[in-house]
Amino acid sequence: MATKQKTMQSGHGRPGEKVKVLLTRDRIHRRILEIAKQIRQDFPDEPLLLVGVLKGAVFFLSDLARGIPGEVSLDFIAVSSYGKDTKTSGQVRLTKDLDASIEGRTVIVVEDILDTGMTLQYLLRILEQRKPKRLRVAVLLDKPERRIAAVQADYVGFSIPNEFVVGFGLDYAERYRNLQGVAVLSLKPQDKAARPDK
């Protein structure tokens, strides 16, 4: 484990930042294939549209899409939480919209992490207004302790404790996204500026 931890730190960590492996790449990959199989079982003959929430969901989305047999297409959406400091005010705005209509389609929103649920609640409200045939949610990570909004995912990779995690698409100040697995990031006390709540 120590070797893996050191490898994950290499080239990313700055003084005062430490990463500790939470989920290995192999474990994540196996779970994503299970989710992909379940999605196709739920919708055996339907074309699927996977909507990735930028930027964090890119790694999860690409692996998930490759694991689902049959017709799968992709689109992307991006949102931003904003407030006066590093914590969100609970207000969310759309920064990149979908490229095509989702009306009458089976849509699966793909997110990296679900914690407060504010972002997902906002996205689902927008997408439901566009009259998809079905709307489902797949998240790689779920932090149920952090939930504020009454939302949940249909497909969950892993339920995790209330720790600040990075890797496999999740970032801290746009760093660590490209870690092979998911790791808990420890910061110096004065640097504890969390990513906007999701």
Side-chain angles (χ1 to χ4, degrees):
M1 182 63 78
T3 304
K4 285 182 180 176
Q5 184 172 333
K6 185 176 180 183
T7 302
M8 290 187 80
Q9 278 185 286
S10 178
H12 293 276
R14 294 184 180 179
E17 296 179 9
K18 295 180 182 178
V19 292
K20 181 180 178 183
V21 177
L22 181 65
L23 300 166
T24 64
R25 174 69 183 92
D26 287 346
R27 190 175 172 199
I28 293 169
H29 182 65
R30 286 194 302 271
R31 182 62 187 132
I32 290 174
L33 290 179
E34 291 170 358
I35 294 171
K37 182 178 179 181
Q38 183 62 56
I39 289 172
R40 187 43 86 193
Q41 286 175 349
D42 290 348
F43 306 103
D45 302 312
E46 294 190 44
L48 301 173
L49 173 63
L50 305 187
V51 173
V53 183
L54 296 172
K55 302 175 186 172
V58 170
F59 290 76
F60 178 34
L61 175 75
S62 60
D63 280 7
L64 185 63
R66 285 191 293 254
I68 300 174
E71 186 177 332
V72 175
S73 54
L74 308 178
D75 206 340
F76 296 91
I77 198 165
V79 294
S80 174
S81 301
Y82 55 97
K84 290 188 175 179
D85 53 28
T86 54
K87 287 284 194 179
T88 183
S89 63
Q91 296 173 296
V92 185
R93 64 188 173 91
L94 193 65
T95 57
K96 185 215 175 293
D97 207 342
L98 299 174
D99 293 329
S101 170
I102 63 171
E103 186 171 349
R105 305 184 71 178
T106 297
V107 177
I108 298 173
V109 177
V110 180
E111 258 280 37
D112 54 356
I113 190 166
L114 172 57
D115 48 26
T116 68
M118 299 298 291
T119 299
L120 185 58
Q121 183 181 60
Y122 172 81
L123 279 175
L124 292 177
R125 189 166 60 244
I126 288 176
L127 296 176
E128 281 165 356
Q129 292 171 356
R130 300 180 184 185
K131 301 179 181 177
K133 181 179 180 182
R134 295 185 185 85
L135 187 59
R136 301 289 186 270
V137 176
V139 300
L140 180 63
L141 305 173
D142 184 17
K143 278 189 193 177
E145 290 177 53
R146 295 261 298 152
R147 197 79 79 253
I148 295 171
V151 294
Q152 61 184 17
D154 302 282
Y155 308 98
V156 176
F158 302 91
S159 183
I160 63 169
N162 187 17
E163 301 274 7
F164 191 89
V165 290
V166 294
F168 210 77
L170 292 109
D171 75 300
Y172 171 66
E174 291 299 327
R175 293 182 287 114
Y176 295 102
R177 287 193 195 277
N178 60 321
L179 291 181
Q180 291 291 308
V182 172
V184 175
L185 176 64
S186 300
L187 301 169
K188 293 181 293 187
Q190 64 268 31
D191 290 340
K192 291 202 171 180
R195 78 168 63 83
D197 300 334
K198 293 184 105 178

